[in-house]
Amino acid sequence: MGKVAFVFSGQGAQHPGMGQDLSVCSPKAAEVFAMADRLRPGTSQQCFAGEQEELNQTIHTQPCLFAVDLAAARAAQEAGIPCDCVAGFSLGELPALAFAGALSDEDAFRLVCRRAELMDKAAHENEGVMVAVLRLKAEQVEEICASFSQAWPVNYNCPGQTVVAVAQQEADALAAAVKQQKGKAVRLAVSGAFHSPFMHSAAQGLREYLADKTIGQPKIPVYANKTAQPYGQGEEAAAILAAQCESPVLWQKTVLAMCADGVDTFIEVGVGKTLCGLVQKTAPDARVFQIENKEGLDAAVAALAQK
C-alpha cells in the first residue's frame, strides 16, 4: 500500500447536525469542539443544531467547518488510521495545518475566525458570484474569462471542472459564453467571489494578522492550494497562507503532486464527499474514503485493515 493522505473539506456542504455523531463516538473529536466553544462560544451548537441559513453565512461557515474537519481527522487518527500527508480545499487548509502541527489548534481556530470576518466583509464590499464551469478544459475557461473585465478562474478542481469568480453584473453573460462553447455553467450557492481579486482586502488583513504569528514546520507535508507543493515555515508560509484567499485553488495539480509523491489513498475528513469526487476524476486509480460520522469512520477503518 502507498501513502495515505487526509484531505480537508471546504465550504459548500455544511448542514445542520454536522459533527455531532463524531463528538459522541470520539473523545478526540469532542476535544476539538470543546476547544472551539472555549474560543467562540456556541460553535458546537451551531454545528449540531444551527439553521441552514445561519450555517451558510461565511462568518459562521468557516469556524464551524474548521471544527468538523479537524474533529474528523482527530477521530480518524484516534481510530488508528495512518496519515502521511495532508491538503485542504480553501478553508480546509487551516485545519490541515493544525492537524500537521504547523499551528496549534487554538491559534488555527483564532485565525479561521479572523479569516471568516475578513472574507465576509470583502464579499459584502464586492458583489461577485462563483460559477462552476463544466465540460470545458481549463484553458478554454481562461480564454472566456479573459474577454470579461472582472472574471477569473479560481478553483482548478479536476479535468472538465473549473470554478470562476465573476462580478455580479457579468455573470449572465459569462454563462452564455460558456454555453456557446458547449460547456455548462452552474452558479454556486456561496456568499462571495472567493479566491479572486475581490478578496484582496481580506488577504491584506490576514497579512497584518499573521505579522506577529509563528507558523512552524509541519510534522507531515501540507500541500498548499496556492502552489500545489508542501508548505515551509515562518514568513514564507505566512505569505502563502495570507495570499490563499485571493489566489486560485490548484486542486487538480495538488492531487497529482500527492500521487507523484506516493499517495494512493485519499480520506476526505469533514463534511460531504466533494473532494472524493474530485480525486476520483483526477486520479481514477486512487482509493477514496469519506469520514464525516461514525459510519464513515468505521467503514474506512475496516477497509484499510484489509490492506
Side-chain angles (χ1 to χ4, degrees):
M1 183 171 124
K3 295 179 181 178
V4 177
F6 286 4
V7 288
F8 292 69
S9 305
Q11 291 179 232
Q14 61 273 0
H15 63 83
M18 61 183 185
Q20 187 167 14
D21 193 26
L22 290 173
S23 73
V24 174
C25 76
S26 166
K28 289 297 183 182
E31 288 178 9
V32 173
F33 286 110
M35 176 277 299
D37 282 338
R38 284 196 305 274
L39 298 181
R40 181 180 179 272
T43 298
S44 62
Q45 180 66 15
Q46 275 189 327
C47 293
F48 304 160
E51 297 291 334
Q52 187 69 54
E53 184 177 353
E54 178 184 25
L55 289 170
N56 286 347
Q57 297 171 27
T58 297
I59 199 76
H60 303 308
T61 312
Q62 293 194 18
C64 288
L65 283 179
F66 175 101
V68 178
D69 281 9
L70 187 57
R74 289 279 161 73
Q77 185 180 49
E78 183 181 35
I81 297 177
C83 179
D84 299 295
C85 57
V86 296
F89 194 101
S90 188
L91 158 79
E93 193 157 282
L94 278 73
L97 285 163
F99 182 80
L103 292 165
S104 70
D105 291 358
E106 291 80 4
D107 285 346
F109 189 72
R110 292 186 186 98
L111 173 58
V112 80
C113 290
R114 183 58 179 149
R115 182 181 188 267
E117 292 169 0
L118 290 166
M119 292 179 71
D120 183 66
K121 184 173 185 290
H124 282 96
E125 292 172 347
N126 301 280
E127 289 193 8
V129 300
M130 299 184 79
V131 178
V133 179
L134 311 177
R135 304 173 187 162
L136 298 182
K137 294 181 179 180
E139 294 80 8
Q140 292 175 280
V141 178
E142 290 168 352
E143 289 177 4
I144 291 171
C145 288
S147 66
F148 291 87
S149 63
Q150 292 182 301
W152 307 272
V154 293
N155 296 346
Y156 291 81
N157 288 346
C158 65
Q161 185 181 135
T162 306
V163 174
V164 171
V166 58
Q168 177 77 47
Q169 65 270 22
E170 293 187 318
D172 290 342
L174 181 126
V178 168
K179 185 176 181 181
Q180 189 174 26
Q181 293 288 326
K182 310 300 182 185
K184 181 179 180 181
V186 180
R187 191 174 295 201
L188 303 182
V190 294
S191 58
F194 305 129
H195 299 287
S196 77
F198 283 157
M199 291 292 116
H200 179 69
S201 63
Q204 185 57 37
L206 286 173
R207 291 184 187 98
E208 295 169 3
Y209 180 85
L210 290 167
D212 61 349
K213 307 294 188 297
T214 300
I215 299 178
Q217 181 65 43
K219 296 175 183 176
I220 55 176
V222 182
Y223 289 76
N225 288 178
K226 188 176 186 299
T227 65
Q229 296 298 318
Y231 263 94
Q233 61 181 330
E235 291 182 4
E236 180 183 1
I240 291 173
L241 183 54
Q244 188 239 38
C245 69
E246 65 172 341
S247 304
V249 175
L250 305 181
W251 190 253
Q252 181 178 333
K253 287 185 177 180
T254 297
V255 171
L256 292 175
M258 297 172 94
C259 290
D261 290 339
V263 173
D264 67 1
T265 302
F266 292 81
I267 301 175
E268 181 170 3
V269 286
V271 186
K273 298 181 179 180
T274 297
L275 301 185
C276 288
L278 300 183
V279 168
Q280 287 178 316
K281 291 175 182 176
T282 303
D285 293 333
R287 295 191 304 161
V288 298
F289 301 94
Q290 193 268 348
I291 296 176
E292 180 180 353
N293 50 37
K294 186 177 187 300
E295 181 182 2
L297 177 62
D298 290 345
V301 169
L304 292 168
Q306 296 174 10
K307 296 291 184 180

